[in-house]
Amino acid sequence: MTITPSAIDTVTKKLSRKSRSTDRAKTVLPLVLGGGRVALGLSMLLAPARTNALIAGADATLPMMKVSTRLFAAREVFVGGGVLAATSASPAVLTSTIEAGVALDTVDAVSFAVTKGVPLTTRLLTTTVALGYAALGIYTLLVLED
């Protein structure tokens, strides 16, 4: 088997495309993660009952539920904003910020999963959303590490 210059060029081009794709993912994924958190947080902050209606049902309109939704919303805005701001900082700052978000999401998922008295629909939806954000954070960390 002979390795020709054209075969080397083909492999080099394919590796170069993969590298550009990975570089793009390293740029885009943190923006999606941070932007998604900010968008979710702002919607919960500005319209807590409407945003939370699917998860909490009729309870979403209760004053205490609106307050707790807004508290959670503020955290989402700050964590998401932190991720967005960290994209222009050092890789270590970005990684630490994303890791903090993954830790918060994991605590949220476990809290909703094990708390007795939480309606089943609320438990399933909130646990799924929290695990989804944790998974996206972990995936983003793996892409950044590559």
Side-chain angles (χ1 to χ4, degrees), residues 25-83:
K26 287 180 180 184
T27 302
V28 171
L29 278 172
L31 295 175
V32 169
L33 180 65
R37 291 188 93 110
V38 169
L40 175 63
L42 287 175
S43 70
M44 293 170 76
L45 194 61
L46 299 172
R50 183 168 288 158
T51 305
N52 213 10
L54 178 63
I55 294 171
D59 290 344
T61 60
L62 296 173
M64 196 61 204
M65 183 62 83
K66 287 181 182 179
V67 169
S68 61
T69 299
R70 284 188 171 120
L71 293 172
F72 180 77
R75 186 186 80 179
E76 287 301 305
V77 170
F78 282 105
V79 171
V83 170

